[in-house]
Amino acid sequence: MKKTKSYLVVRVSKLDSVDPIAEINRVIDKEGASWFGKYGRPIKMLKLDELCPPVLVLVIRNQKHYESATYEIIGQSRRTPKSGMFPDYYKSVLRRISSWFKIKHTEKSVEINDLIVKSSGQTLAEALHGSMSAHFLCIDRQCNDYMF
């Protein structure tokens, strides 16, 4: 079976008056990796070898546009990881977190305008504006081997 380059996109916010992307980056800069905790409904466990490469894209709304950060996924869990390997502000919200992804910086940057949601064929930008979903599995619009 041919693998299609896929991206797990998770929408984040400054719900706790904290910039989650900046906090994740601080941990990665200090520890080499960080656990990202996804609030709410869990994301089903991914077959990381099928994501090709396993990439997480965090998107956050900043006034009228979305900003994104791209990471390589190097692990996942439903259990709370060791303290110090995730942002400190998570300690007060651990009950809200249902899915954990261990991530590190990647050289690859992904433009959200180039991503297509696999399940609907919509651009990610359209889906972010029209859907309440917190996460999406996407492909790059430049990918020629995916048919809807």
Side-chain angles (χ1 to χ4, degrees):
M1 182 171 148
K2 187 173 183 180
K3 296 178 183 178
T4 301
K5 190 177 272 190
S6 300
Y7 304 88
L8 173 62
V9 178
V10 178
R11 184 188 333 225
V12 296
S13 69
K14 295 182 181 179
L15 183 66
D16 297 308
S17 300
V18 173
D19 181 339
I21 293 173
E23 294 298 315
I24 288 283
N25 287 340
R26 274 192 200 96
V27 175
I28 293 173
D29 291 343
K30 181 180 176 193
E31 303 291 336
S34 177
W35 285 93
F36 163 71
K38 195 269 186 198
Y39 290 15
R41 287 182 22 173
I43 297 174
K44 74 178 189 172
M45 296 300 275
L46 302 170
K47 294 179 182 171
L48 295 181
D49 62 329
E50 289 180 6
L51 278 182
C52 181
V55 175
L56 173 69
V57 180
L58 298 181
V59 293
I60 188 167
R61 188 169 183 140
N62 202 354
Q63 303 206 348
K64 294 189 179 208
H65 67 281
Y66 284 92
E67 294 178 2
S68 66
T70 306
Y71 304 93
E72 180 181 350
I73 302 171
I74 56 175
Q76 62 184 330
S77 181
R78 293 254 191 257
R79 295 187 178 156
T80 303
K82 172 178 107 168
S83 188
M85 287 296 292
F86 55 80
D88 286 339
Y89 81 95
Y90 281 179
K91 292 176 185 173
S92 64
V93 295
L94 287 174
R95 290 184 185 184
R96 291 190 211 165
I97 299 173
S98 59
S99 301
W100 292 93
F101 295 92
K102 191 173 187 180
I103 57 177
K104 67 180 186 177
H105 290 303
T106 182
E107 299 287 321
K108 174 99 169 113
S109 178
V110 177
E111 280 292 322
I112 63 172
N113 292 329
D114 291 338
L115 296 179
I116 303 292
V117 178
K118 276 186 166 186
S119 62
S120 68
Q122 287 183 300
T123 66
L124 178 60
E126 291 171 321
L128 288 169
H129 289 288
S131 172
M132 295 297 290
S133 182
H135 68 277
F136 306 89
L137 193 58
C138 296
I139 59 144
D140 192 308
R141 91 169 52 233
Q142 306 304 319
C143 181
N144 295 324
D145 61 351
Y146 186 80
M147 302 289 280
F148 291 100

